Amino acid sequence: MKDLLAWSRHHWALLLGGGMLAVLAALTLAAPALYPEDPLSMVGPPDVRPFDEGFLFGTDSLGRDVAAGILHGARTSLLLGLVSTACSVLLGTGVGAVAGYFAGRVDDVLMRLTEFFQTIPSFMLALVLVAVLSPSIWTIVLAIAVVSWPPVARLVRAEFLSLRSRDFVKAAVVGGHPTHVIILRHILPNALTPIIVTGSLMVASAILLESALSFLGLGDRNNITWGFMIGAGRSMIRQAWWLSAIPGLAIFYTVLALNLLGQGLADLLNPLLARTRRA
Amino acid sequence: MSAGPLLNIEDLSVALPEGADRRFAVQGVSLPLGRREVLCVVGESGSGKSVLANTVMGLLPAPALRVAGGRIMFDGQELTRLPEESYRELRGRRISMIFQEPMTALNPVLTIGEQIEEVLAAHGMADRRTRRERALELLAAMHLPDPPSLLGAYPFRLSGGQRQRVMIAAALALEPEILIADEPTTALDVTTQKQILRLIREIQERRRLSVLFITHDFGVVADIADKVAVMQHGSLVEYGVAAKVLDAPEHPYTQRLIAAVRRLEDGAEDARPVAAAEPLLEIKGLRKTYRSASGFFGLRKREVRAVDDVTLTIHQGETVGLVGESGSGKTTLGQLVVRLLPADGGELAFRGQEIRTARGARLLGLRKSIQMVFQDPFASLNPRHRVGRILTETPIRHGVTPAQAATRARELLHLVGLDVGAYDRFPHEFSGGQRQRIAIARALALDPELVVADEPVSALDVSVQAQVLELLADLRRRLNLSMLFITHDLRVASRICDRIAVMRGGVIVEIGSTRQIFGDPQHEYTRGLLDSIPGRSWLGIGGGAPVADRATMTL
């Protein structure tokens, strides 16, 4: 019991971030039950202030329920964030691991490719990709993944470059293990901490990127998202600031939770800290 | 000058943060440092000797470590309660410090001149010309070549020994009364170490310095100390005049440490004549060159001949030592033998099979027969894998069933003197010596015929070194192992090797039985190496004249 207390005091960021995300996930899952109507349909009079007429966050200029939008939008935003991050982490880790392990020519080719993507302003590239491929939830996922893998690749490459010269990797080579086993089972687990931490932060930036795209009207029209809501509320910002502020706060809450989770995971997975705790 | 000690440490305790493995890093240590005296503080890693040095210098990493009790008296001042500002005045001007790692102690983007002059400027020497003259004078006093051009040079152009000389020059810039040296020669080659020790002794005498010298090496103590203090687990266990502590130690811990050092010198008494045995590994004319491109577009090519036409044979059951300083190519040769690196030319045959061209199943077969033990047991075990996995993974790869591998792994743990409970634990739960035992067990898991051991004891404390060497010697007898034993330390090589090959600049300059190398070295470089062994005359190694400085040291 005392240990548990000490543990939670040490890992407050992990617990708080995880808890905030759990609440968000629960609300997201409960959205169809709480607000069975399509969040894009008009359910009340327009421009209802928050807490008036039974609408928790009021309605927008078309009479759409803002609270329903927030909850239904959470699903799209979280899904987009997680899927696009998973894609870019997989791609980035693959490229970075191969470049870092084999070094030399392979590394040169892969890193020039990575730099090619890095030198293009990422938001512009995402914008062009979505515009060309026509906006839908999957093209947005693709666009976000394409622009956000290069930093992961560079990070993983750097980790692999330093890890591949470690003696335990040499010992595995001398033991006769094949290359893919050495990469996947000996080196990758040791590089996992920074990958997971970066990944958790990337979910946040993916949500922000999607919001920006939606704000510019390049979101998926069939799914409500927070960015879309901010964009739609923009024209009313003088009369009804909460239309933009409430989804903005939702993004803030989610990004904060993810950042806390990322920081907490970094602490939890750091073997050095684990060692001092044990000692 | 008053008669009392210049620096007096009185009942000093330094507390460790809560949750550490003991309460105090330094506990109740009382130690005087007299004027013009060299006091060596000796201890193994974790003994608190460096913490002691840093406390005197006021460099404890607060708030993790703090002085819990006692006093440090320096010339009538109490140091532990001195405010930071007054300390800054003291540091450099009256007490100075040099560190272990000369490679990182100098700022790489400042010239040597700037770094020395910086110290002078910080303590109020305003005039640029005087600063420059003083810097030149200091560099010359350190016997550095061509001081004027050195002033404008960046640290990367200097060797480790030269950098350490620059560090000493900077430390002495303001003519301090006390020099604290924290393992200043540990990162250096033996020949360089000898020169630096001689230099420290020389300036100590010329400038009437008091030196607090932290070291783990009793050989170094024998070469430089007037007084010796031995520390264990944060406490002072023995203190006295050097000759007395070295030759008639009283405390059992000191006796054990000195015995461990002395035992290293016995020579491989069980050296066996092995010429009759069949050759196991035959190296003929082996070459490896590192090429690196530099300059614009890699136009300038640099070549380093790491292994240059090396010929060496290891017979069945024989242990051959490969001794050399850093950059001699000894590690490269070891890695060529285990095929971690491809060779450029020459022959490398194991039982008549060419190693260089082996592929697929044949290479796998060779890997089974030739295994390796690495230097740093903290880096050579995957921190994310349990010991059981570390020991069974490779045998399973070579076709052993998991159950058999697990049984064998437990036997191996027993063989290397570890508890079977180690099987389910992670590497970081073990000490350095225990980890090296695990690494040895891993190398033995495939029942190899040849083990390449690259500096297997260099990262370990002396007493642990002796244990691991004993284990290796015992294993090779019991399992009839052959070994290529790579080391920079002739003392270690003498303990375990049947034959020793001395390597320098990629070339084997001399090869002979251990007795020959120690008793009758032929090559000038070998003689130089033997001559540089710290504490050589104390240990009574080899022929030739005893080190001359010894006489002046006990004055």
Side-chain angles (χ1 to χ4, degrees), chain B residues 106-125:
Chain B
L106 286 170
N107 188 335
V109 298
L110 295 180
T111 62
I112 301 301
E114 282 169 329
Q115 304 198 38
I116 296 177
E117 288 174 38
E118 192 177 58
V119 182
L120 298 170
H123 287 272
M125 193 184 275

Side-chain angles (χ1 to χ4, degrees), chain A:
Chain A
M1 189 61 210
K2 202 177 158 197
D3 281 357
L4 198 68
L5 259 172
W7 189 89
S8 40
R9 193 171 325 133
H10 197 88
H11 292 291
W12 64 271
L14 183 75
L15 292 172
L16 184 60
M20 285 167 75
L21 275 185
V23 169
L24 187 68
L27 284 174
T28 310
L29 290 176
L34 292 173
Y35 297 97
E37 293 257 6
D38 184 347
L40 287 168
S41 63
M42 289 175 269
V43 291
D47 298 327
V48 176
R49 295 180 147 267
F51 307 111
D52 268 5
E53 302 185 27
F55 293 105
L56 181 61
F57 293 148
T59 61
D60 67 6
S61 54
L62 292 173
R64 295 179 290 211
D65 187 345
V66 175
I70 293 289
L71 286 198
H72 283 274
R75 189 174 44 190
T76 322
S77 290
L78 282 180
L79 188 73
L80 266 167
L82 291 173
V83 176
S84 61
T85 300
C87 291
S88 52
V89 165
L90 278 180
L91 183 63
T93 305
V95 171
V98 170
Y101 186 79
F102 292 103
R105 288 277 147 78
V106 181
D107 180 40
D108 280 345
V109 171
L110 289 174
M111 279 306 108
R112 292 309 85 75
L113 181 76
T114 311
E115 278 157 15
F116 173 74
F117 276 93
Q118 279 195 302
T119 47
I120 304 173
S122 59
F123 187 62
M124 291 299 157
L125 180 60
L127 214 60
V128 169
L129 278 174
V130 174
V132 170
L133 297 173
S134 81
S136 83
I137 191 158
W138 298 115
T139 54
I140 295 173
V141 165
L142 178 79
I144 295 175
V146 164
V147 301
S148 50
W149 67 269
V152 184
R154 300 211 73 109
L155 173 83
V156 174
R157 168 182 175 265
E159 288 288 325
F160 267 64
L161 274 179
S162 90
L163 286 167
R164 70 191 274 270
S165 58
R166 297 277 182 89
D167 285 347
F168 70 80
V169 177
K170 288 185 188 156
V173 175
V174 173
H177 293 272
T179 308
H180 68 272
V181 171
I182 293 173
I183 290 182
L184 292 176
R185 301 192 47 182
H186 288 263
I187 306 186
L188 192 59
N190 285 288
L192 222 48
T193 309
I195 297 177
I196 289 177
V197 173
T198 324
S200 67
L201 298 181
M202 279 170 61
V203 177
S205 59
I207 290 176
L208 291 173
L209 197 60
E210 191 278 332
S211 302
L213 286 171
S214 292
F215 177 82
L216 292 176
L218 283 172
D220 186 342
R221 288 288 158 176
N222 301 316
N223 289 294
I224 193 162
T225 68
W226 293 336
F228 166 79
M229 293 174 76
I230 297 177
R234 170 190 48 163
S235 52
M236 303 280 292
I237 196 122
R238 290 235 177 136
Q239 298 83 30
W241 53 267
W242 57 88
L243 289 181
S244 302
I246 290 168
L249 279 173
I251 292 175
F252 169 74
Y253 174 89
T254 312
V255 172
L256 179 67
L258 286 166
N259 278 323
L260 284 171
L261 188 72
Q263 186 198 329
L265 280 175
D267 286 352
L268 184 72
L269 294 174
N270 188 338
L272 199 71
L273 290 178
R275 203 172 312 158
T276 46
R277 267 202 311 279
R278 214 179 292 253

